[in-house]
């Protein structure tokens, strides 16, 4: 199972999960965190849309380059959620 952030970071992570799930036309509960980005259909356009939604939701500016340099199609969803939550927490 994917390790998650705790406390406030977990609230951020759950919000990011909901935003990502919405772009993938899934419910947060049905978004399998063990599934790869490729398997859930996350492409660069959906990633960009998710980034914009996260920035708007938390009123922060995130660095897409630093996030994207650690992404690859076989990465599970869980670590992506952790990276987004860590970036939001650091930018706040």
């Amino acid at each position: 199972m994917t390790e998650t952030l705790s406390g406030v970071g977990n609230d951020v992570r759950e919000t990011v999960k909901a935003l990502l799930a919405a772009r993938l036309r899934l419910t947060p509960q049905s978004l399998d965190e063990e599934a790869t980005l490729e398997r859930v259909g996350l492409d660069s356009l959906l990633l960009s849309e998710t980034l914009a939604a996260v920035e708007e939701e938390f009123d922060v500016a995130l660095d897409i380059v630093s996030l994207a340099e650690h992404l690859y199609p076989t990465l599970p969803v869980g670590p992506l959620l952790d990276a987004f939550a860590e970036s939001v927490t650091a930018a706040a």
Side-chain angles (χ1 to χ4, degrees), residues 76-87:
V77 170
L80 173 66
L81 297 175
D82 290 339
F84 264 109
E86 289 168 6
S87 294

Side-chain angles (χ1 to χ4, degrees), residues 12-61:
V12 171
R13 190 179 188 281
E14 290 304 311
T15 301
V16 171
K17 183 176 182 176
L19 293 169
L20 175 60
R23 267 126 204 96
L24 295 169
R25 299 178 193 267
L26 299 170
T27 64
Q29 298 79 14
S30 67
L31 181 56
D32 180 3
E33 293 191 27
E34 300 295 324
T36 65
L37 303 183
E38 182 177 56
R39 183 167 169 239
V40 298
L42 186 66
D43 60 17
S44 59
L45 179 58
L46 288 174
L47 179 62
S48 295
E49 289 176 1
T50 303
L51 177 75
V54 169
E55 288 179 325
E56 184 176 328
E57 177 72 24
F58 294 102
D59 193 28
V60 295

